[in-house]
Amino acid sequence: MLKFDEELFLRLVEKEGLQFRGQIEEIVDTISKKGYSNIFMIGAGGTIAMMYPYEYILKSNSTIDVHAEIAAEFLVMNHKHFSKDSVCIFASVSGTTKETLEAAEFCKEKGATTIALVAEPDTPLTKMVDYCITTGSEKHSFDTFFMLLYMFVFRFMYNRNEFPQYEQFTKEVSLLPRAILSAVKAFDKKAEEFAIKHKDTDYHMMVGSGNLWGNTYSYAMCILEEMQWIHAKSIHAAEFFHGTLEMVVEDTSVILLKGEDETRPLMDRVERFAEKITKQLTIIDTKDFAMEGISEEFRKHFAVSINWSVLSRISVYLERERNHSLDLRRYYRKMEY
């Protein structure tokens, strides 16, 4: 597969990523024993998008009060639910994201408990928070972060007596890297075909819902717009029929990210509409992937990781077909703004 080192993936995500389970449990158990009022999941760009699935999971499976907040807005909004008793979770690949650092410093000064997931070691964010999981490599960092966040949020639920299936769930987390690898291999040809077909397409609608809304938002903005300079719009399936549907015509590229949670009927409704109008409908459905060893009840949660991994295959083929490096930027970290 183009730009995919299977051995490296398994080492970083399976072997090294899973080793943090004990550390995460110790962190969560210590916080739970001390007591906390709520959880804030804070990020910027791709990392706030990464938090949205876990906000959804907590809101739909737990009574824990949870807030996913964009770092820059959080700093100015005077959030009335935030206090010294809040638990604040951050993520940053580089450990240097300006808004995330400012938010972490703010939370620390207010006495809140701070946790960070960081890829690069010995960076500002790693030194700023109370607890830090440092994965050590930016390669496959999102795959690893997603997996670590499962461990965090479900441990918090378990300690609240809201998730008795925790032991079985964490056993299946250990199967997730292999399930991701299987999905990537199964989807690779389709990813290449999509990139060849759409290398000159100048606008995409991306539709998602539930725990895949964050991936939808992130892929449209951080990959198609930031990394490929392609016009894109992320649309929540629940809102699609309140405006965006009027922009769909015969040649509109509509990409549906279908998961397996409670919001799937919302995606089915968009699909029924779109297939009547456009000839450029792409459906990426996690139900198409085996996820060997994963229980039916947990598939909906792991759909987040599976979806992100297969989308990443589209990225590398778009990069090749469009001769546009995923690392190319006009402005981001190139100038002051």
Side-chain angles (χ1 to χ4, degrees), residues 65-291:
D65 184 31
V66 60
H67 306 268
E69 302 293 344
I70 302 170
E73 183 177 53
F74 171 74
L75 283 167
V76 299
M77 72 184 294
N78 191 27
H79 204 302
K80 295 301 184 183
H81 290 264
F82 173 75
S83 73
K84 64 178 178 58
D85 298 316
S86 298
V87 176
C88 302
I89 303 176
F90 304 88
S92 174
V93 175
S94 68
T96 62
T97 308
K98 179 176 180 289
E99 298 93 334
T100 302
L101 288 174
E102 290 175 353
E105 184 176 21
F106 173 83
C107 294
K108 195 90 162 74
E109 288 176 351
K110 297 294 184 181
T113 301
T114 52
I115 303 168
L117 307 179
V118 185
E120 295 293 340
D122 299 318
T123 49
L125 187 58
T126 66
K127 302 168 186 176
M128 186 179 293
V129 295
D130 297 308
Y131 304 100
C132 186
I133 302 292
T134 307
T135 61
S137 174
E138 66 177 32
K139 292 284 189 181
H140 300 294
S141 54
F142 269 46
D143 291 314
T144 307
F145 285 177
F146 278 135
M147 196 166 63
L148 300 180
L149 284 167
Y150 288 127
M151 298 183 199
F152 269 107
V153 300
F154 283 93
R155 187 67 178 187
F156 273 113
M157 283 196 282
Y158 171 73
N159 285 347
R160 203 180 179 92
N161 298 315
E162 293 180 332
F163 193 66
Q165 316 97 303
Y166 177 78
E167 284 301 324
Q168 181 60 35
F169 180 80
T170 50
K171 287 178 183 176
E172 295 187 23
V173 170
S174 70
L175 302 176
L176 184 55
R178 297 281 174 170
I180 291 173
L181 182 59
S182 175
V184 164
K185 289 179 176 179
F187 187 74
D188 193 67
K189 186 63 178 176
K190 291 181 180 178
E192 183 177 23
E193 290 170 354
F194 177 93
I196 293 170
K197 178 180 180 180
H198 287 288
K199 65 184 178 69
D200 296 319
T201 299
D202 59 4
Y203 174 64
H204 297 279
M205 288 184 183
M206 294 199 69
V207 186
S209 66
N211 63 22
L212 292 191
W213 168 243
N215 289 5
T216 310
Y217 173 74
S218 182
Y219 201 82
M221 180 174 68
C222 299
I223 308 299
L224 294 180
E225 292 183 333
E226 179 184 333
M227 298 185 182
Q228 285 295 294
W229 302 353
I230 298 171
H231 294 289
K233 177 178 174 63
S234 52
I235 310 111
H236 197 292
E239 286 287 270
F240 182 87
F241 294 98
H242 296 273
T244 305
L245 81 166
E246 292 295 340
M247 297 302 295
V248 181
V249 293
E250 188 177 65
D251 63 349
T252 305
S253 172
V254 179
I255 305 169
L256 307 184
L257 304 186
K258 297 187 72 173
E260 301 173 49
D261 65 25
E262 305 79 4
T263 67
R264 187 176 174 91
L266 305 179
M267 294 297 297
D268 290 338
R269 186 185 180 205
V270 177
E271 181 180 350
R272 288 193 297 270
F273 169 82
E275 64 186 3
K276 296 175 186 175
I277 310 297
T278 181
K279 294 181 179 178
Q280 302 298 329
L281 176 62
T282 302
I283 301 171
I284 301 174
D285 189 345
T286 61
K287 274 196 172 182
D288 293 337
F289 303 105
M291 295 195 220

